[in-house]
Amino acid sequence: MGKRVAIVGAGVSGLASIRCCLEEGLEPTCFERSNDVGGLWKFSNQAEEGRASIYQSVFTNSSKEMMCFPDFPYPDDFPNYMHHSKLQQYIRTFAQKKNLLRYIQFETLVSSIKKCPNFLVTGQWEVVSEKDGKQESAIFDAVMICSGHHVYPNLPTDSFPGLHRFQGHYLHSRDYKDPEAFKGKRVLVIGLGNSGSDIAVELSRLAAQVIISSRSGSWVMSRVWDDGYPWDMVYVTRFATFLRNALPSFVSDWLYVKKMNTWFKHENYGLMPLNGPLRKEPVFNDELPSCILCGTVSIKPSVKEFTETSAVFEDGTVFEAIDYIIFATGYNYAYPFLDDSIIKSRNNEVTLFKGIFPPKMEKPTLAVIGLVQSLGAAIPTADLQARWAAKVFAKSCTLPTTSEMMDDIDEKMGKKLKWFGQSQTLQTDYITYMDELGSFIGAKPNIPWLFLTDPQLALEVFFGPCSPYQFRLMGPGKWDGARNAILTQWDRTVKPTRTRAVREAQRPQHFHNLLKMLSFPVLLLAVWLTFY
């Protein structure tokens, strides 16, 4: 048997890790504290300790072609954006078809992961698990942490003077499940992220009044993008990434702000971000602007202080007679089973090479999968992270030196500040990051070679959506169905919407989009030549 690998969590990251370990001849054991796979997407009517929690009405923000496992497309008839129950169905099917369930110990809590006394020589870990009140200890050659980052709520009660005097109810969005309890109530939602916006919109149908308090604003995007296509199928492309990196920053920033304001003018809705050009994750909500127009949701600045029944905002206005406050204020990173200094090895900050490997570890036998966030889907990201980690454990890939990894972390931190601003999350550009990981294992698509050998495929890979199939197109772990999946991805996109077919299905014209995107730089050049 191969090296033994402990995997914590059986969500999408955990399932990807099991599969990738098997591909490398490793022996995985996955510990899952609940009774099913799915992690975040396993819905429960009540928030459960130590588990991620979602509300009943959650739909995905990534479309199905962009968020699948790279060798496992969704069924043709699945909608492009799925209710959590539909995604959970897909995750279960993946686990069954890939024969992964046999490697999972359900209803088993990992209580401790510690280096073995001889770690400097072996790199091994002692994993203590608990099931039915009984503890068990086992030695593993490597560990993959896949427990996610939507578990421990950030409830910043100390940041709001007077909250201790507030006589109404307050809760974190983690504990919100459905709107029934809020019928006829006056509700303040603090935080303008995806959860805060979803909850505010849903409550606006039943509550007496809903206000969102936002410190810094946010871009709000529709899931429906140019010509009615899913946003990420049009926006997340190699060509668009190439343009963003090639154009001068002032031009790239101008184009970004212009694009974000195409749907509606954010300044007119109180939503305009304080620093518009920053590429922070936007809010995906198709109904919020309409709710603001109809007066069922209002946007306010930060709360200055609370009284017994009211909130006083920074602009001096007051929201009175509040019944409920919902804190949609995100989550903290926490791995209670692991020594904090392993993940946060510098200045109490998460310090990981490529968001995966602790750089100061004497032996590279621990990986964190699924922690990095980008404007891309979690499933293909976790799959590629797990493939690389499994190869490192199997010693078919090696990591750079500690100093080289620390230098890379510092460089990426500088870029993160420039592009995304100050944030606790490990944010990165999706395609750039995926290509970096792909290059480590030989799975990065060779675009020039594709243009020489398969022009039809090359055009779709470069100008079309950067779908997950691209990272199983060549190299180790290649999937024979990847080429066909890429060439037919638009067929699967329009299939569930063409329930009344009136003419042939339309698909984006890459060269038309290319000409549109190039028109502004060409205009700039013409103006420059005219005056200089």
Side-chain angles (χ1 to χ4, degrees):
M1 298 297 290
K3 292 181 177 179
R4 298 189 69 206
V5 181
I7 298 170
V8 184
V12 293
S13 297
L15 294 177
S17 296
I18 297 170
R19 195 265 291 266
C20 294
C21 284
L22 294 172
E23 288 179 335
E24 293 301 317
L26 304 173
E27 185 184 341
T29 299
C30 180
F31 301 96
E32 169 55 47
R33 68 184 297 161
S34 76
N35 61 359
D36 199 0
V37 298
L40 173 69
W41 298 103
K42 178 187 178 297
F43 176 76
S44 173
N45 286 315
Q46 292 182 327
E48 300 172 6
E49 183 185 355
R51 283 199 63 246
S53 176
I54 55 175
Y55 35 97
Q56 176 60 44
S57 58
V58 164
F59 278 76
T60 63
N61 290 330
S62 296
S63 63
K64 66 176 183 179
E65 288 302 305
M66 300 296 279
M67 66 174 298
C68 62
F69 286 99
D71 58 345
F72 200 75
Y74 289 87
D76 287 5
D77 60 348
F78 268 43
N80 282 284
Y81 297 105
M82 289 164 285
H83 186 252
H84 63 77
S85 58
K86 207 76 171 171
L87 180 54
Q88 177 68 350
Q89 178 186 334
Y90 168 82
I91 293 169
R92 282 198 193 110
T93 304
F94 175 79
Q96 291 163 357
K97 295 278 188 182
K98 298 296 182 181
N99 200 23
L100 306 180
L101 298 176
R102 58 187 290 197
Y103 301 97
I104 305 172
Q105 296 184 15
F106 290 106
E107 298 180 333
T108 304
L109 170 70
V110 172
S111 53
S112 171
I113 298 177
K114 293 180 179 177
K115 295 177 181 178
C116 288
N118 59 349
F119 182 85
L120 289 174
V121 177
T122 64
Q124 290 181 324
W125 300 83
E126 180 189 11
V127 177
V128 178
S129 59
E130 187 175 323
K131 183 180 176 73
D132 299 329
K134 297 178 182 178
Q135 283 198 341
E136 184 177 315
S137 177
I139 304 299
F140 288 89
D141 298 296
V143 172
M144 302 175 87
I145 298 174
C146 308
S147 52
H149 49 83
H150 293 97
V151 177
Y152 301 98
N154 173 37
L155 194 60
T157 53
D158 294 340
S159 302
F160 295 93
L163 183 61
H164 64 282
R165 302 199 306 268
F166 179 65
Q167 296 174 355
H169 305 278
Y170 68 83
L171 65 149
H172 191 272
S173 58
R174 163 185 167 79
D175 297 307
Y176 174 86
K177 291 296 176 179
D178 61 58
E180 292 303 320
F182 302 87
K183 187 174 183 179
K185 305 298 183 181
R186 293 166 63 82
V187 184
L188 172 63
V189 178
I190 295 180
L192 184 61
N194 285 305
S195 295
S197 301
D198 280 354
I199 291 169
V201 166
E202 184 168 66
L203 290 180
S204 71
R205 303 183 186 108
L206 291 178
Q209 188 172 0
V210 180
I211 286 181
I212 299 176
S213 168
S214 174
R215 184 180 62 219
S216 56
S218 180
W219 295 118
V220 177
M221 285 172 56
S222 171
R223 292 178 177 87
V224 185
W225 205 244
D226 296 348
D227 300 321
Y229 297 111
W231 76 269
D232 47 358
M233 296 281 284
V234 178
Y235 186 79
V236 184
T237 72
R238 292 182 174 279
F239 176 67
T241 298
F242 166 76
L243 268 191
R244 283 196 296 273
N245 294 331
L247 290 172
S249 59
F250 76 93
V251 177
S252 177
D253 290 347
W254 184 87
L255 286 171
Y256 178 74
V257 171
K258 181 176 172 58
K259 188 64 179 175
M260 291 295 109
N261 257 330
T262 301
W263 186 23
F264 65 94
K265 302 302 180 187
H266 283 63
E267 52 266 52
N268 294 343
Y269 287 69
L271 294 167
M272 187 73 181
L274 291 180
N275 193 333
L278 286 182
R279 269 53 165 190
K280 285 186 176 181
E281 182 183 4
V283 168
F284 292 93
N285 198 296
D286 300 283
E287 298 177 67
L288 181 59
S290 177
C291 287
I292 295 172
L293 270 181
C294 295
T296 57
V297 174
S298 302
I299 309 296
K300 287 289 186 179
S302 295
V303 173
K304 184 179 178 181
E305 64 174 334
F306 286 102
T307 68
E308 287 81 358
T309 59
S310 306
V312 181
F313 299 105
E314 293 286 356
D315 61 1
T317 57
V318 180
F319 183 27
E320 297 180 337
I322 301 172
D323 296 299
Y324 283 92
I325 303 168
I326 300 177
F327 286 91
T329 44
Y331 293 83
N332 295 316
Y333 300 130
Y335 302 105
F337 47 79
L338 190 68
D339 185 342
D340 240 12
S341 65
I342 293 175
I343 304 294
K344 300 178 178 179
S345 60
R346 185 176 64 178
N347 301 330
N348 202 35
E349 294 177 344
V350 174
T351 310
L352 297 169
F353 179 57
K354 304 303 180 188
I356 302 172
F357 292 102
K360 296 183 179 180
M361 192 79 68
E362 299 89 346
K363 296 283 186 178
T365 56
L366 183 139
V368 181
I369 308 298
L371 186 58
V372 170
Q373 296 182 58
S374 68
L375 200 61
I379 292 178
T381 304
D383 183 78
L384 202 48
Q385 289 177 331
R387 287 167 69 189
W388 181 33
K391 286 183 177 295
V392 170
F393 296 158
K395 296 189 175 179
S396 57
C397 282
T398 56
L399 296 181
T401 64
T402 296
S403 62
E404 288 172 334
M405 288 192 282
M406 292 303 296
D407 287 345
D408 182 84
I409 290 169
D410 290 338
E411 180 189 344
K412 294 296 187 293
M413 186 61 70
K415 289 183 178 178
K416 178 194 157 191
L417 287 171
K418 176 186 174 185
W419 284 92
F420 304 103
Q422 191 67 46
S423 169
Q424 295 299 311
T425 58
L426 295 181
Q427 291 182 289
T428 187
D429 178 76
Y430 176 68
I431 295 178
T432 303
Y433 180 69
M434 294 289 279
D435 277 350
E436 280 185 329
L437 298 186
S439 66
F440 290 136
I441 64 172
K444 177 184 174 182
N446 187 333
I447 309 297
W449 176 251
L450 283 178
F451 271 108
L452 287 172
T453 58
D454 195 339
Q456 181 190 10
L457 179 62
L459 285 171
E460 195 63 36
V461 168
F462 188 68
F463 291 104
C466 186
S467 48
Y469 319 117
Q470 294 192 13
F471 299 97
R472 291 258 180 189
L473 189 59
M474 52 184 62
K478 175 183 175 180
W479 175 46
D480 290 338
R483 181 183 188 275
N484 183 63
I486 292 170
L487 295 178
T488 57
Q489 57 196 357
W490 288 108
D491 298 333
R492 288 187 299 279
T493 299
V494 300
K495 174 73 181 292
T497 60
R498 281 175 52 79
T499 51
R500 175 181 170 264
V502 291
R503 61 174 67 176
E504 266 193 50
Q506 301 295 305
R507 55 190 294 169
Q509 302 298 315
H510 297 317
F511 287 108
H512 174 66
N513 292 333
L514 171 62
L515 289 173
K516 281 202 304 184
M517 295 182 76
L518 286 178
S519 61
F520 177 72
V522 170
L523 180 62
L524 273 184
L525 179 61
V527 170
W528 186 83
L529 291 174
T530 302
F531 290 99
Y532 295 95

